[in-house]
Amino acid sequence: MDDLAQAEEPPPPAHSAAEIAAAWQRERPGTPTGSIEIVTPLWWLAKLFTDDRARALRAAGIDAATLDLLSVIRRSGPPYRLSTREIARRTMVTAGAVSQRIARAERDGLVERTAASTGRRTVLVELTARGHTLIERSVDTVLGREASLVSGLTDEERTALIALLGKLMADVRRRTTSSDEPA
């Protein structure tokens, strides 16, 4: 067993999602349980993926916020430089959180901030050689681990799951951001 897999393994769920739905129907007939067999496994998977990613990040010597910051800059392509506004947009975190992440990464020698030549108050953030090395190593560790976790799916199953998750994500995003009422 590899180092990442040997960490504390969570116990299997006490009940399957189907058993949970059936129990609610038995105890409260008419309770809307149609989502349980979808949402509950997604929550369980999210927990498993989150815990495993945390172990992979520790092994790579990077935290999730720094991985997010360095990844978005690295994926932008040469010269591996983005404005703080663009980083916030691509990472979907607040400007304040981006500022904190950049300050920490700059302190660690992973990025450098410079003023844009446009004359505006735009600040650009660029990977340093040290930051580039760290993200190259980290992304291989994290994405390699995650690839192994989904390797039990066939190409056809992956394609179907990607499509279904995309459809669900778009619909849930629309329902949760388009009004103040719960979906």
Side-chain angles (χ1 to χ4, degrees), residues 150 153-167:
V150 299
L153 297 175
T154 67
D155 288 343
E156 295 78 20
E157 290 168 333
R158 285 175 192 238
T159 300
L161 184 57
I162 290 166
L164 289 170
L165 289 172
K167 180 179 180 179

Side-chain angles (χ1 to χ4, degrees), residues 16 23 37 53 62 69 82 111 115-116 122-123 127 139 147-148 160 180 182:
S16 72
E37 290 183 79
R53 179 174 263 220
I62 191 170
L69 172 66
L82 289 173
V111 299
T122 302
V123 174
L127 287 179
V139 80
S148 75
D180 293 334

